[in-house]
């Protein structure tokens, strides 16, 4: 306890310079804790949104929810439609008996013709009146925050009659333990955690360590003096730890206060594609404990380790003895990390991409941590080896002085460079994650397909759907009848469309004769072996009265060459093309799918969906190739990755500024001594720039190489089509060059115009 009090007394009574250094340590710790709080708050925000989603889900909603009861007091039907890249959630509700407790956010369930909408949807309806076709009824109120995942959600409860929801699920109550539509899927959340660990947490640990070791040389001399005056070895370490812990604890309190301000401001402004309520961003007890206890604990251990040399060899510290060369154990984490990364790269290059995602999900984060840690620990070793070789061969005075200084003190300049090196490494890794997400979310098909069950289309409404504005064509797909009691019951697929309908969507259509059946031959597609010419297959047909009729279809001899532009092809080789005129009047296939086709422009897609809703708002429409819930998840993940990159940039720049300022103060006496010996300011500036730029250049080159390898290995394990990202390399190299230029400019102020001999008076 005495040592701790001594450390605090030395802190308060050691002059303005040490108090300024303590303030710098505190501010640096505050920035680090604020960034840490942001990262740790993200899972809580997502969990709060998912909890509100789960609390409002109907227990049974036409197969899209969980059925708790076979009979309920009402009916419910859930529909999720794309509004651009956002999901528009609609829940149709109809009561059949006693009232049901409303979901959170509603005072009561809507009756027939009543609609409750979210505030964002209320605003959108004013700017886009056509959207009201999806919401049949009159707006009766707004959904409060308790019933919404986030302020920008497009959500509506629509009251209906039981006759309208005849295909709906039985409704007993609202609420589940888990949501069927999480904000971010668990697998995608693992990707986010993995990236955040590499982009934010690893540089953050380095940054907090840098803040805890500011003015290391002067502090070690002071601690060595205490050791020579009789303070014990452990007591000397505690004196140093007291100062670092005090700075870390003060920084933790300031950082948490800064996070509260940031949360209140950003949650109200919102991020692109991601908003939350301020209460969702409140920090949990475990997060507060991690910030208020974890960061000072890290500072305590850094303080103990930092004072180890002064406690063990105080005379060496006081006499400024030459530091021992860094040992090769710093390369230890880098070697196994590179082995894992190189192994995955070779597997991708040889076409043997791993299929065991469970093992890869463990090895890839481990490799990233090992490589990132190895970059930090190996830089002093590599810097000293390079400095020694250059100093022996160069004839330049400036370069020779710079390299000799780096050889004697290899860790000095690299404290400035470490944060920037990790920033470039993390940027390359993030590029790989964005590439993988882009492969998932990209929809390049020029034609959009809307698929729905033909039996869900109301009687007499089929022609209205096919004539909607924006719909360029339509086809019906069906399957021949199969006898489920037989072990082997072959069947064929059929496409019901005219040649003119197919020409509007096909890129290849040859030998098609209007009104005549044929077999479709798709180049490169697997042929259906059961579709042999002359073989007959039964098709079950029904009319509006429910009467059943069986039509036997013989596989024709004629073939038609066909190919379409859809992301999922409508037909395979052997599919039979049947003209609509071949069916009896008033009859249609018993079980079939109707596909409408339009251009893939977002406005066209929205117009078609509005037209379908005008015909029947309860029809379940699948937009092929566009899973809007997945698109929203990808948007959220990209936004959070951008937040991570911004935090990484803040941490990297802050680490550079803190370390560069500290180094400028520590190097003043050495620069002054060289100036008194006759060195010109131009020479001293060249020395300072070379001391920082050369080891930083080596570190950045290593970061680019290892970063691209880690990125490629991540893409290999992701299972996508892209393994090698050549397009991102110029941007990465340009970033590295920019970092070197910033570091060179930052090294110039170390040399002032005025010589102050007082700085070396004691030496």
């Amino acid at each position: 306890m005495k040592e701790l009090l001594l450390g605090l007394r030395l802190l308060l009574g050691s002059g303005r310079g040490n108090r300024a250094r303590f303030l710098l340590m505190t501010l640096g710790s505050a920035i680090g804790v604020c960034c840490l709080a942001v990262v740790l708050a993200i899972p809580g925000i997502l969990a709060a949104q998912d909890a509100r989603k789960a609390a409002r889900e109907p227990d049974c909603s036409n197969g899209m929810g969980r059925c708790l009861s076979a009979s309920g007091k009402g009916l419910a039907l859930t529909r999720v439609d794309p509004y651009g890249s956002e999901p528009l959630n609609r829940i149709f509700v109809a009561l059949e008996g006693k009232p049901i407790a409303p979901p959170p956010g509603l005072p009561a369930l809507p009756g027939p013709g009543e609609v409750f909408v979210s505030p964002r949807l209320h605003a959108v309806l004013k700017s886009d009146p056509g959207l009201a076709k999806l919401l049949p009824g009159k707006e009766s109120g707004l959904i409060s925050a308790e019933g919404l995942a986030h302020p920008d959600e497009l959500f509506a409860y629509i009251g209906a009659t039981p006759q309208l929801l005849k295909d709906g699920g039985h409704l007993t109550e609202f609420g589940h333990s888990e949501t069927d539509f999480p904000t971010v899927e668990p697998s995608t959340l693992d990707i986010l955690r993995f990236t955040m660990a590499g982009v934010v947490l690893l540089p953050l640990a380095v940054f907090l360590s840098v803040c805890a070791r500011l003015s290391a040389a002067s502090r070690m001399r002071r601690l060595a003096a205490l050791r020579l005056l009789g303070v014990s070895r452990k007591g000397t370490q505690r004196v140093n730890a007291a100062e670092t812990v005090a700075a870390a604890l003060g920084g933790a309190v300031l950082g948490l206060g800064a996070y509260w301000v940031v949360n209140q401001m950003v949650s109200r402004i919102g991020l692109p594609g991601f908003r939350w309520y301020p209460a969702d961003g409140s920090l949990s007890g475990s997060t507060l404990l991690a910030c208020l206890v974890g960061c000072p604990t890290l500072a305590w251990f850094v303080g103990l380790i930092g004072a180890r040399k002064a406690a063990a060899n105080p005379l060496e510290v006081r006499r400024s003895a030459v530091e021992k060369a860094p040992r090769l154990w710093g390369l230890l984490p880098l070697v196994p990390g590179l082995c894992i990364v190189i192994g995955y790269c070779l597997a991708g290059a040889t076409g043997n991409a791993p299929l065991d995602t469970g093992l890869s999900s463990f090895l890839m984060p481990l490799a990233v941590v090992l490589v990132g840690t190895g970059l930090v620990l190996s830089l002093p070793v590599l810097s000293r080896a390079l400095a020694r070789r250059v100093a022996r061969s160069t004839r330049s005075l400036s370069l020779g002085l710079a390299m000799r200084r780096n050889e004697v003190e290899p860790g000095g300049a690299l404290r400035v460079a470490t944060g920037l090196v990790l920033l470039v490494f993390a940027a390359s890794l993030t590029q790989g994650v964005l590439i993988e997400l882009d492969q998932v979310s990209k929809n390049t098909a020029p034609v959009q397909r809307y698929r729905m069950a033909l039996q869900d289309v109301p009687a007499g409404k089929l022609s209205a759907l096919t004539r909607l504005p924006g719909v360029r064509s339509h086809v019906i797909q069906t399957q021949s009848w199969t006898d489920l009691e037989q072990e082997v019951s072959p069947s064929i697929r059929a496409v019901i469309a005219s040649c003119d309908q197919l020409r509007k969507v096909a890129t290849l259509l040859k030998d098609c004769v209007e009104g005549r059946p044929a077999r479709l031959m798709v180049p490169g597609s697997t042929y259906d072996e059961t579709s042999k010419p002359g073989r007959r297959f039964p098709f079950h047909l029904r009319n509006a009265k429910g009467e059943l009729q069986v039509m036997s279809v013989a596989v024709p001899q004629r073939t038609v060459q066909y190919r379409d532009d859809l992301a999922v092809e409508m037909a395979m080789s052997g599919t039979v093309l049947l003209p609509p005129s071949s069916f009896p009047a008033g009859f249609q296939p018993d079980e079939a799918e109707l596909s409408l086709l339009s251009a893939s422009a977002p406005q066209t897609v929205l117009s078609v969906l509005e037209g379908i809703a005008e015909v029947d708002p309860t029809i379940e429409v699948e937009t092929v190739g566009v899973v809007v819930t997945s698109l929203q998840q990808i948007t959220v993940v990209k936004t959070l990755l951008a937040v991570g990159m911004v935090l990484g940039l803040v941490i990297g720049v802050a680490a550079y500024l803190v370390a560069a300022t500290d180094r400028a103060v520590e190097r003043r006496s050495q620069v002054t001594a060289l100036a008194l010996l006759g060195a010109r300011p131009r020479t001293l500036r060249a020395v300072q720039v070379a001391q920082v730029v050369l080891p930083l250049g080596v570190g950045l080159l290593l970061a680019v190489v290892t970063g691209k390898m880690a990125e490629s290995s991540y893409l290999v394990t992701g299972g996508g089509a892209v393994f090698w990202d050549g397009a991102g390399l110029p941007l990465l190299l340009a970033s590295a060059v920019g970092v070197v230029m910033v570091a060179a400019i930052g090294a110039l102020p170390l040399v002032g115009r005025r010589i102050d001999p007082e700085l070396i008076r004691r030496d």
Side-chain angles (χ1 to χ4, degrees), residues 491-668:
S491 65
I492 59 168
R493 299 173 63 186
V495 172
I496 303 170
S498 64
C499 293
D500 183 61
Q501 291 173 234
L502 289 184
R503 286 192 185 96
K504 293 178 181 178
V505 294
T507 56
L508 173 66
L509 188 66
K510 291 183 178 180
D511 305 326
C512 187
V513 179
E514 202 69 68
R516 296 185 61 183
R519 283 178 297 134
L520 296 180
M521 303 297 293
V522 182
S525 176
T526 303
Y527 185 79
D528 185 3
E529 295 296 334
T530 60
S531 180
K532 296 180 179 180
R535 191 172 183 177
R536 289 188 168 273
F537 294 89
F539 285 83
H540 282 194
L541 311 178
R542 287 189 186 274
N543 60 10
K545 299 178 181 179
E547 298 173 345
L548 178 66
Q549 181 175 337
V550 179
M551 183 180 74
S552 179
V553 174
V555 178
Q557 293 282 348
R558 296 185 62 258
T559 61
V560 172
Q561 297 291 318
Y562 170 82
R563 183 190 293 118
D564 60 47
D565 269 334
L566 295 179
V568 180
E569 292 185 352
M570 289 192 302
M572 60 182 293
S573 287
T575 298
V576 177
L577 172 63
L578 298 176
S581 58
S582 61
F583 289 84
F587 282 85
Q588 64 183 21
D590 188 21
E591 293 185 0
E593 288 182 346
L594 171 65
S595 292
L596 305 180
L597 301 115
S598 74
S600 59
Q603 291 300 324
T604 304
V605 174
L606 181 60
S607 174
V608 173
L609 290 174
E610 291 174 351
I612 295 174
E614 189 175 13
V615 174
D616 187 345
T618 64
I619 295 179
E620 183 176 1
V621 183
E622 178 187 356
T623 49
V624 179
V626 178
V627 183
V628 68
T629 53
S630 298
L631 289 178
Q632 187 193 33
Q633 288 188 38
I634 291 171
T635 301
V636 171
V637 172
K638 286 184 176 181
T639 298
L640 294 178
L641 286 179
V643 171
M645 284 302 300
V646 170
L647 293 178
L649 180 62
V650 169
I651 293 170
V653 172
Y656 170 75
L657 293 176
V658 169
T661 304
D662 178 58
R663 185 168 177 270
V665 175
E666 284 196 334
R667 292 282 292 143
R668 284 185 305 172

Side-chain angles (χ1 to χ4, degrees), residues 40-41 44 256 281-294:
L40 296 180
L256 292 176
S282 300
L283 298 179
S284 63
S286 58
T287 301
L288 291 174
L289 190 66
C291 295
L292 292 175
V293 177

Side-chain angles (χ1 to χ4, degrees), residues 21-46:
R21 173 177 51 79
F22 177 79
L23 180 60
L24 190 60
M25 292 171 61
T26 303
L27 292 178
S29 299
I31 294 173
V33 169
C34 183
C35 294
L36 177 62
V38 170
V39 174
L40 296 180
I42 290 174
I45 293 174
L46 299 178

Side-chain angles (χ1 to χ4, degrees), residues 702-752:
L702 188 61
V704 170
V705 174
T706 56
K708 294 303 293 183
M709 292 171 61
E711 174 192 352
S712 298
S713 60
Y714 175 80
L715 291 174
V716 168
T717 59
V722 177
F723 286 174
W724 321 109
D725 171 33
L729 188 58
L731 178 61
L732 203 62
L733 292 176
S735 302
V737 173
V739 167
V740 171
M741 293 177 63
V742 170
I745 295 173
L748 293 177
L750 289 174
V751 181

